[in-house]
Amino acid sequence: MDQMRLAFNGVVRSVRYSRFPLQPTENGERHLEVKLSEDGTEEFTDVEAEGSPSFRPAPQNYSRCSIAFLLLGTLLILIIGYLVGYISHSKPKVELLNCSPVTQAPVAQPAEVEMDFKNISQLLARKMTREAFQKTLGDFENPGCSAGSDKDMSLANSIFDEFKKLEMDPWTDIHDVQLPIPDSQNPNKVQFGSEDFSLTGYLAYSATDRVQGKLVYGNYGRKEDLDIVNKNKIELKGCVLLVRAGKISFAEQVANAADRGASAVLIYPDEADYNYVADTVLYGHVHLGSGDPYTPGFPSFNHTQFPPTRSSGLPKIPAQTLTRSVAVKLLQKIGGPEPDETSGFKGGFKQVSYRLGGVENITVEVNNKLVNKEIHNVFGVIKGFDDPDRYIVLGAQRDAWGSGYARATVGTSVLVQLAKAFREMVKNDGFRPRRSLVFASWSAGEYGSVGATEWLELSESRMRPMTIDDPAYPFLAFSGIPSVSFHFIKPNSEVYTYYGTQLDTMDQLNYETNNQTNEITAIAAQFAGQMALHLVHDHLLSLDVNRYSKTLTKAVAGVYKHIRLLSQDLSPSWLNRARGSFQRAASNLYNDIANTNLDDKEACRILNNRIMMVEHSLLSPYVSPVKVPFRHLLFGRGSHTLASIAETTDVDELHTQLALATWNLQGCANAMVGNIWDLDEEI
């Protein structure tokens, strides 16, 4: 606990938060074949430059409403509460925030003097107490609160009423979505040898089908794992792939299996990764995307004419979870060769040898059904005094499979307690936030951030890439909103392993935290509140675009290395020049910041607009959000990304994607430039 307090204090003492260090440097990658200098030129001469790419960037769309975004995923000693934000469109019948001046109702204040940040910070911290959270956590504990259920609606109404009592002008955002559930009359099944297993857990958005194939064990189902299976001469095409949960998302595991021709996927919690009892049921989803996959790219309102379209991220093969007891029975009879000791395929079951299989047939039957559900997102607002049309949005997932104490109760409690604290500070303590604060309670988060994504149509001491399962990911990769998750976790832990199970309870969390859940939740709320406080108080947004330099350099170097190995008459030097333009634009932006009077509100507003354009401009304008929802050049998924270009072997496709990526990156550099006459003419 003392270490946590020290880490917290170390962060909140700093006024400026680093942004964008989402890709940590990996060991062993210091000696690249290609060295790229900071000014965008190569330090080797054996690759000659070709002509300029034949594609010009699409015109940039500049909105009058720049939208600040805060995502705070608090995973503290295995607690999680997600705070996410973004405002994109208005709902009819509801008066939302707009870009016109807002008349602020008179609010009593002790003095017409701007409060010192230190005093505001201390005031907020005093309101985030363990005693306050002891009550709030009890108020919002709601086991079995699945998306669109009566319990979900009841909790949404409770939050709405709380915001109304706080005079936060609440409103509700309603969506009609299609959610998959198990068919109680026709359960999912697995048949292996003479044994039949009826299964309770399920994976939302799995294809429904009955398939048969050879059972093959594929470790975590990563690409490198499947390469090892292939090297052992085990046929993956048509097989039923058995993988253990962890390392990557369920959706990625199923997508990797489908790419290798597997007919179905079975996922189980191995003892090496999950400390479950034998019959703990596992839930999750396998949509390689976010939001309602049956209305990709646009919101699911009840007046929407649903077209016959589906998200490209929906799997075409069935997938199903298993309990560890069922998995042990399959592994004991799987047959086939044993993997090499160095492969990492050995799990924690001492009674099995983790053979690779490919010998025995297994039948998988998935019979999930789609149901129409109405989900409610609830919002409340504290309007800004200087820039009310700039929004910082904090949100929390409300629904959960199973008990959902850590998944939903903690986050909702942090959200509501922060709303109370900020409202009291404005009403009674003279606090005047410059920008508006919107508090959001999302539904259907368990199905892939459906509520947050439907509404769509800064860090700790340890940095790591954002995963597709992170509720922040769609904000970053789908909508180009600056986002970050922070986590308090145990050493050597990646996630809270009880998510998506009936073990996600108050008792389990108290056990994991040595009965300090209330105190740890209060610390997390202080952390979240401090970050939000900076974003609504400071003249200048604390987002550091210079932190992208290493990530860009590494990605471009990967493209260079790949093209050299292909030995094709092709040069990525134009891409590198665009990278140089980006870095010069970022440097010039911070020179402008250094030479600006930060007490000048309008000057800061202009600088903030330039900062906020960066992430959005990294979304590729050359791909459809319906077919490729995650359009981010660096952190998206698809052929347009630099990571994909570094693996493409089709030369014609490589030519095209290289040109498009070049102009995507150059367009981002141009968007950072304040004046049109200052545009970089390198390309």
Side-chain angles (χ1 to χ4, degrees):
M1 185 63 66
D2 291 337
Q3 290 179 341
M4 181 184 296
R5 289 195 187 95
L6 288 173
F8 168 73
N9 292 334
V11 172
V12 299
R13 285 193 197 106
S14 173
V15 174
R16 191 162 191 82
Y17 292 93
S18 296
R19 167 67 194 100
F20 304 132
L22 301 178
Q23 297 276 7
T25 303
E26 298 178 4
N27 291 333
E29 294 197 359
R30 295 181 179 176
H31 303 291
L32 292 174
E33 293 182 32
V34 182
K35 295 182 180 179
L36 305 177
S37 63
E38 288 300 315
D39 62 356
T41 60
E42 306 87 5
E43 294 184 10
F44 62 87
T45 59
D46 57 339
V47 178
E48 297 180 358
E50 289 188 350
S52 174
S54 57
F55 293 86
R56 289 287 171 180
Q60 297 293 329
N61 294 320
Y62 293 90
S63 169
R64 289 178 59 224
C65 290
S66 296
I67 301 166
F69 168 82
L70 171 64
L71 183 136
L72 306 174
T74 48
L75 173 58
L76 33 147
I77 310 298
L78 308 178
I79 299 178
I80 194 155
Y82 295 109
L83 297 108
V84 296
Y86 176 58
I87 285 186
S88 62
H89 64 268
S90 303
K91 277 185 57 65
K93 304 180 183 177
V94 177
E95 182 181 353
L96 279 181
L97 300 175
N98 55 52
C99 296
S100 57
V102 174
T103 302
Q104 185 73 31
V107 179
Q109 60 173 329
E112 291 293 334
V113 178
E114 182 177 313
M115 295 182 69
D116 176 77
F117 183 86
K118 181 179 179 180
N119 292 332
I120 304 172
S121 176
Q122 292 174 346
L123 182 62
L124 178 63
R126 288 196 294 270
K127 296 178 183 294
M128 298 292 107
T129 65
R130 70 178 310 276
E131 291 76 19
F133 279 104
Q134 184 171 3
K135 180 180 186 304
T136 307
L137 287 167
D139 290 343
F140 291 106
E141 185 179 5
N142 197 8
C145 185
S146 59
S149 66
D150 291 341
K151 284 190 173 183
D152 185 25
M153 296 301 176
S154 176
L155 185 55
N157 290 336
S158 297
I159 295 170
F160 184 96
D161 292 342
E162 193 69 46
F163 288 167
K164 190 173 182 178
K165 281 194 297 184
L166 293 171
E167 300 177 339
M168 292 172 61
D169 300 326
W171 71 94
T172 300
D173 183 61
I174 301 174
H175 296 276
D176 294 277
V177 299
Q178 298 182 73
L179 301 178
I181 62 172
D183 187 342
S184 59
Q185 303 301 315
N186 193 13
N188 300 339
K189 306 169 187 173
V190 165
Q191 297 175 322
F192 188 56
S194 60
E195 295 191 86
D196 290 355
F197 305 98
S198 290
L199 306 169
T200 305
Y202 80 107
L203 291 168
Y205 304 118
S206 162
T208 55
D209 202 354
R210 186 178 189 274
V211 300
Q212 185 181 77
K214 301 294 184 183
L215 182 62
V216 174
Y217 171 60
N219 202 21
Y220 294 105
R222 298 167 297 188
K223 292 180 180 179
E224 57 266 34
D225 294 328
L226 302 186
D227 289 339
I228 291 174
V229 174
N230 279 333
K231 287 179 181 178
N232 281 270
K233 305 192 183 311
I234 304 295
E235 180 61 58
L236 287 171
K237 187 174 182 180
C239 81
V240 173
L241 189 66
L242 175 65
V243 299
R244 50 174 166 158
K247 304 301 183 184
I248 59 177
S249 68
F250 293 156
E252 289 169 304
Q253 289 176 318
V254 175
N256 290 341
D259 288 344
R260 303 296 180 99
S263 62
V265 178
L266 299 173
I267 304 174
Y268 75 95
D270 195 274
E271 188 171 340
D273 308 293
Y274 297 89
N275 185 24
Y276 291 167
V277 296
D279 294 317
T280 299
V281 175
L282 200 60
Y283 299 89
H285 78 88
V286 289
H287 175 213
L288 196 62
S290 63
D292 184 355
Y294 302 103
T295 59
F298 53 93
S300 300
F301 291 122
N302 57 5
H303 55 267
T304 301
Q305 297 298 311
F306 293 104
T309 186
R310 293 157 51 99
S311 166
S312 60
L314 278 175
K316 296 180 180 178
I317 62 174
Q320 174 64 40
T321 56
L322 306 175
T323 62
R324 57 185 290 180
S325 61
V326 173
V328 166
K329 291 179 180 179
L330 300 187
L331 287 167
Q332 285 175 332
K333 299 179 181 179
I334 192 171
E338 287 193 38
D340 186 272
E341 289 291 336
T342 62
S343 65
F345 272 49
K346 301 282 186 178
F349 298 139
K350 300 189 184 311
Q351 63 270 50
V352 301
S353 57
Y354 291 90
R355 293 180 178 274
L356 298 178
V359 177
E360 301 293 334
N361 281 326
I362 188 171
T363 300
V364 178
E365 185 176 338
V366 175
N367 302 304
N368 301 338
K369 62 181 182 180
L370 283 174
V371 295
N372 293 319
K373 291 284 187 178
E374 182 179 281
I375 63 171
H376 291 197
N377 298 325
V378 180
F379 303 89
V381 62
I382 297 174
K383 296 176 183 177
F385 286 76
D386 293 338
D387 292 324
D389 59 332
R390 267 59 172 171
Y391 315 105
I392 308 302
V393 185
L394 296 87
Q397 176 180 329
R398 189 176 66 243
D399 67 300
W401 279 306
S403 299
Y405 191 80
R407 173 68 86 182
T409 302
V410 171
T412 299
S413 299
V414 169
L415 177 77
V416 172
Q417 204 62 35
L418 281 172
K420 289 180 180 179
F422 274 102
R423 182 60 185 152
E424 288 174 4
M425 288 165 62
V426 171
K427 189 175 182 179
N428 303 325
D429 301 314
F431 175 49
R432 295 290 182 268
R434 289 192 172 85
R435 305 171 188 93
S436 295
L437 267 167
V438 177
F439 296 83
S441 173
W442 314 111
S443 185
E446 293 285 52
Y447 289 86
S449 305
V450 172
T453 305
E454 289 302 313
W455 191 53
L456 275 176
E457 312 252 351
L458 246 160
S459 78
E460 265 289 77
S461 59
R462 176 183 175 189
M463 302 305 302
R464 60 182 180 182
M466 196 175 294
T467 67
I468 194 172
D469 273 349
D470 196 311
Y473 185 77
F475 291 88
L476 172 71
F478 178 84
S479 292
I481 307 300
S483 57
V484 69
S485 295
F486 71 82
H487 306 270
F488 293 112
I489 58 175
K490 284 183 176 178
N492 304 317
S493 297
E494 294 294 327
V495 295
Y496 185 53
T497 56
Y498 302 102
Y499 290 149
T501 74
Q502 295 293 346
L503 300 178
D504 184 6
T505 63
M506 178 183 69
D507 289 342
Q508 185 68 49
L509 192 57
N510 281 333
Y511 173 77
E512 296 290 337
T513 62
N514 295 320
N515 292 312
Q516 297 184 83
T517 297
N518 296 337
E519 183 171 0
I520 293 170
T521 303
I523 293 174
Q526 291 177 37
F527 200 135
Q530 294 289 342
M531 297 181 78
L533 195 56
H534 274 296
L535 289 173
V536 298
H537 173 271
D538 297 350
H539 284 299
L540 195 68
L541 292 174
S542 302
L543 306 175
D544 186 359
V545 298
N546 275 317
R547 296 298 295 270
Y548 253 138
S549 294
K550 284 186 177 180
T551 302
L552 271 173
T553 299
K554 180 180 177 181
V556 173
V559 174
Y560 264 98
K561 186 175 181 179
H562 176 64
I563 291 177
R564 289 187 69 187
L565 292 174
L566 288 179
S567 299
Q568 295 292 326
D569 185 21
L570 177 66
S571 169
S573 61
W574 288 103
L575 175 66
N576 190 43
R577 293 188 186 187
R579 180 194 67 87
S581 294
F582 178 95
Q583 292 181 334
R584 286 189 292 275
S587 178
N588 290 338
L589 171 59
Y590 280 90
N591 285 338
D592 290 346
I593 291 173
N595 293 316
T596 297
N597 177 7
L598 298 185
D599 291 326
D600 186 329
K601 296 179 182 179
E602 184 57 30
C604 286
R605 187 179 174 97
I606 293 171
L607 290 172
N608 288 335
N609 288 345
R610 291 167 62 185
I611 293 171
M612 290 299 299
M613 284 303 300
V614 175
E615 204 76 76
H616 183 75
S617 299
L618 284 172
L619 299 181
S620 174
Y622 308 110
V623 294
S624 164
V626 174
K627 295 182 179 180
V628 185
F630 299 138
R631 297 178 292 144
H632 200 283
L633 181 67
L634 288 166
F635 305 118
R637 298 184 67 90
S639 59
H640 64 287
T641 64
L642 293 182
S644 177
I645 293 171
E647 296 177 353
T648 301
T649 55
D650 184 308
V651 176
D652 290 338
E653 176 73 5
L654 185 58
H655 268 278
T656 300
Q657 294 300 337
L658 189 58
L660 298 180
T662 297
W663 288 117
N664 188 175
L665 185 55
Q666 184 64 45
C668 181
N670 292 346
M672 247 191 296
V673 175
N675 301 307
I676 192 171
W677 51 85
D678 292 329
L679 291 178
D680 197 314
E681 298 294 338
E682 184 68 22
I683 294 183

